[in-house]
Amino acid sequence: MDYNNIVKSGSDSRPDPDDLLSRVQHEEQQAPRGRLKIFLGYAAGVGKTYAMLEAAHQRKREGVDVVVGYVETHGRVETEARLVGLEVLPRKQETYRGIAMTELDVDAVLKRRPQLVLVDELAHTNTPGSRHPKRYQDVEELLAVGIDIYTTLNIQHLESLNDVIAQITGVTVRETIPDSVLDQVTEIELTDLPPDELLVRLEEGKVYVPEQAAQAIHNFFRKGNLTALRELTMRLAAKRVDDQMRDYMKTKAIPGPWPAAERLLVGISPHPLAERLVRSTYRLADDLNTEWLAVYVETPAHSRLTPEQRDRISRTLLLADELGGRSLTLPGRSVPEALLQYAREHNVTKIILGKPLRSRWKELLFGSVVDELIRMSGNIDINIISVPGDLEQERRNVAWQPHHPWGRYLWAIFLVLVATGIGALFQHNVSPTNLVMVYLLTVVVAAVYLGRGPSILVSFLSVLAFDFIFVPPYYTFAVSDTEYILTFIGLLGVGLVISELTARVRDQAEAARRREAETSILYTLSRDLSVAEGLDAIISAVTGSVSQTFGREAVVLLPNSKGKDTLKEYTKSADFSLDENEMAVAAWSLKHGQIAGRGTDTLPASIGRYIPLITPRGAVGVLAVKPKDEGNQMTLDQRRLLETFSRQAALAIERAQLAEQAKEAELLHATEKLQSALLNSISHDLRTPLVSITGALSSLSDGGVAMDPQIHQDLVDTARDEADRMNRLVGNLLNMTRLEAGAMRVTKQPGDVQDAIGTALENLGDTLRDRKVAIDIEENSPLVPMDFVLIVQVLVNLIDNALKYSNLESPVEIQTRQVGKDLHVSVKDRGIGIPVEDLDHIFEKFYRVERPEKIGGTGLGLSISRGIIEAHGGLIWAENRPGGGASITFSLPMQEIPKVVK
Amino acid sequence: MRILVVDDEKAIRRYLRVALSAQDITVVEASNGEEAIRAVAVDRPDMVILDLGLPDMEGTEVTRRIREWSAVPIIILSVREQESDKIAALDSGADDYLTKPFGTGELMARIRAALRRSIQKENEPVIVVGELKIDLERRQVMIADREILLTPTEYDILRLLAQNIGKVLTHRQLLQGIWGHTSEEDLHLLRVNLSNLRHKIEPDPSRPRYIRTEPGVGYRLRSDT
């Protein structure tokens, strides 16, 4: 493995502005994050933990708040001695399968909130049931809240070096951390010890050796190994320095040897060593400092892969993601075509593939992806990387081998027998070469219904049977007429071709069907979501779809109105109830915008899987999914589909929420408009009478020029009228507020309408001066339950209205009639009437009919009247009268009045 | 004559002082309940004009306490729509009420009516209002010298109103006075009877000149038409 930097010259020396911007943003984002320092060593026993503790003491002396989160001394005396003087947080007790284990207590650290925490062994795997499966994820969480961390790590725990180290040492380390964690590291301190000294320490028993692995460790601790590891570690550290230097140079715009703008694409196949290929590509990309991506081409053959193979593909893609490359799945008919098309469209400069797996003769027959690719590549480089490894086992599992149940092969044999039988029937009438047709037919049938393997079997068996039974010499495999050799070849050849083609067509149809099914599911969901009005409809569409499509219980959780952090179940499912723990997982998912729960890296022991519903604005909620029965795992395809669902659901939910917000904003706007209209109106109507009053009083006080007694009286009368008007207005306003506040209490007592009318007229007093009012009370009107005072006010409003909108000569009529179970009271005028379109609207607050003449009044009177009448259980309405003028009528329900003895 | 004016609003006190002084009435002022009660005892006014909304105690309370040892006529000042307060004060012993804002004419009419009630030890035998003449001794009611026949209840109502001419009588006071008790059905009766009464004595029953409805409170026989 060559770690030297490959440098291409001739590139632009100025840093890319976008790059700089994202760097600055990255740094800004990093500001509140805690800083991570790793004490890196090339083997156990070099003294990492010791060095970490030393550094911690130094920081403590500097005044930093240091706390020990988890330090593993392995009983080493010197290390334990260094613990003295530092605050040690108690560990979290966990039991797994009856064994008591201790782990880092993340919550305790979060509660304690020190500036710096020591957490040993970054690559450690936590006890199942812990918050995160891996300790580095715990550390990640602590860093996110701004706590600094010191930790230790051995070189062999790095994901990307896993295979290299396995090669060197012969030991494959299981506990790895992804290289992306290294990218987050602020500082790496190399803890180094010459291998000779390390071996001495091993002898002295100062190195921790787990008993079970004694032999392996012994192999591990060979000088050659240690030296190689040490070199690897040093190179890593050096490379980091190099990166930092390059970063520095870029920021300072120091011209340097910038690498060329390469782009790598690695093709993924179900090849067992694809992961190694990805890691190699990562290292190459890292050296070249370029982007890279991993692509899997999904051909029709995909449907024939075993579940293990499909799983491997998804794991490889996931690994590529983790290592910092992008991963993609492309549909396509042929791998070379799809890869090259994508490469050309996306400016890929190098395509990386693994060495072909197929043996020569298969290559001849079926072609090799690599050859195809090389031939069509044009000016894209193709790198073939050899990934040494165990090929033997995998050869057997190469893609096209069918894994059908054995029954089909039996059927194949049976078909051949049937065909032979049929042939035998016609043996004497038909020439043998024509009997071949029967066998061909059988091959076709087998290809369509049984699959590739059985139909190939049928081809072979057909030839044999044909030879044995129908070709002289009969019942032997010998052939007398060599022409028949041609027939055999023909039969076999055609048979094989038909098998292959038919099987391929079937596979394509299968793949198309699968894709179509997926698309139609998504389409149905889209359609359902687009017509769903309102949050409820959308959420039920989502949960319904999930339930139907995936056979899973689904619950949608949305943030509480109280706070963004708490979730509330929006829908409830009988089979899926979320207890506190589950809710905590959901909350975590919402907060971090990542999938959590069953089948993920975070809290995999939970019952459900929690998918955050993410939109460009952020996470709007969480979709919780639980399988209906325990064993039912989702395939990768299903998981992807579910995630697509959730994205659509997120958008739809956001849309509904935005629509509601828009409605509320509109409502608020309308309310504000109304309020401002109200204030304007009141202000005007209160001030107007004051003008007359103030004017009159000031005139009177001035004494004035020859104050005529008549003028004097007029002024006084005007002022008094206006004062009355203001009084009425104030009363109206008070009533309005009471109505609005729902504080309008109606106490009904038997009342006399005639009395009410009379009192109303009395109240109006001077307004009635010189006006004609005709009163028409029906004979024998009974008493009606009413709130006397309020009904008087209604009458005052109505009569005042009638007076206002008609001229001085026209009369106002008041009429009462019994109509059914109600008493109707009408106030009529011969004024200008009400425009037809306004008839319903005049009872609205502040509504004033558009008139050329400005007529005073706030427009509250009628709406207050309506409020009062409706509170009585009656109705009020307006009509235009034949002959001109308007009439406003209200009804009051009469009740059974007990007979009165007069 | 001396009148005690009780109101926490200085402007109102000033207006009343001016209006009453113009009628040659001496005015004493108080601005809260305690002061008022003391003033009634010390200054011995002929009448009290009392605002209901006092800072230290309810007007009703003041009325009650004064009534414990004095029969001085009390007129309360109230804001419209405080019917229950008005009725409570009237039932506690106040004689009449004025709704703010009120004119000077109304004020004087109330004062006169309340005074008449208190000054006369015994009722006048004959009460005349406009064209209406009520002879209490002979139990006769006449409009423009034409006798009107009333039922006993109608007569009782008119009698009570006439004996308190110019002053408001609450529903309860009327019911109490006529039937001796108050109940829902009785109010109904009262209204019906009153309606009939009006039909008999009023030239236009729809716009009564003599018997005035005090909405939510009671009725009053007008003394000046």
Side-chain angles (χ1 to χ4, degrees), chain A residues 489-502:
Chain A
I489 294 173
L491 178 57
L492 185 62
V494 173
L496 290 175
V497 168
I498 291 176
S499 306
E500 181 61 33
L501 286 178
T502 318

Side-chain angles (χ1 to χ4, degrees), chain A residues 727 734 738 749-752 754-755 758-759 761-762 768 773 775 777 783 788-789 793 897-898 900 902, chain B residues 80-81 83 100-101 184 187-189 191-192 194-196 198-199 205-208 212-213 215-216 219 222:
Chain A
N727 195 14
L734 282 173
R738 227 178 269 135
Q749 281 178 331
D752 183 3
Q754 186 178 27
D755 198 352
T759 313
L761 291 169
E762 188 64 47
L768 285 171
V773 178
I775 303 168
I777 311 281
L783 298 184
F788 193 83
V789 173
Q793 277 172 15
I897 312 277
V900 177
K902 294 225 182 128
Chain B
R80 203 204 306 198
E81 283 113 38
E83 273 81 38
K100 294 196 261 195
E184 267 297 312
L187 179 61
H188 179 98
L189 285 176
R191 294 236 195 251
V192 169
L194 203 107
S195 169
N196 294 339
R198 272 199 178 125
H199 273 93
S206 299
R207 308 201 51 181
R212 182 184 163 147
T213 308
Y219 298 96
R222 277 228 197 81

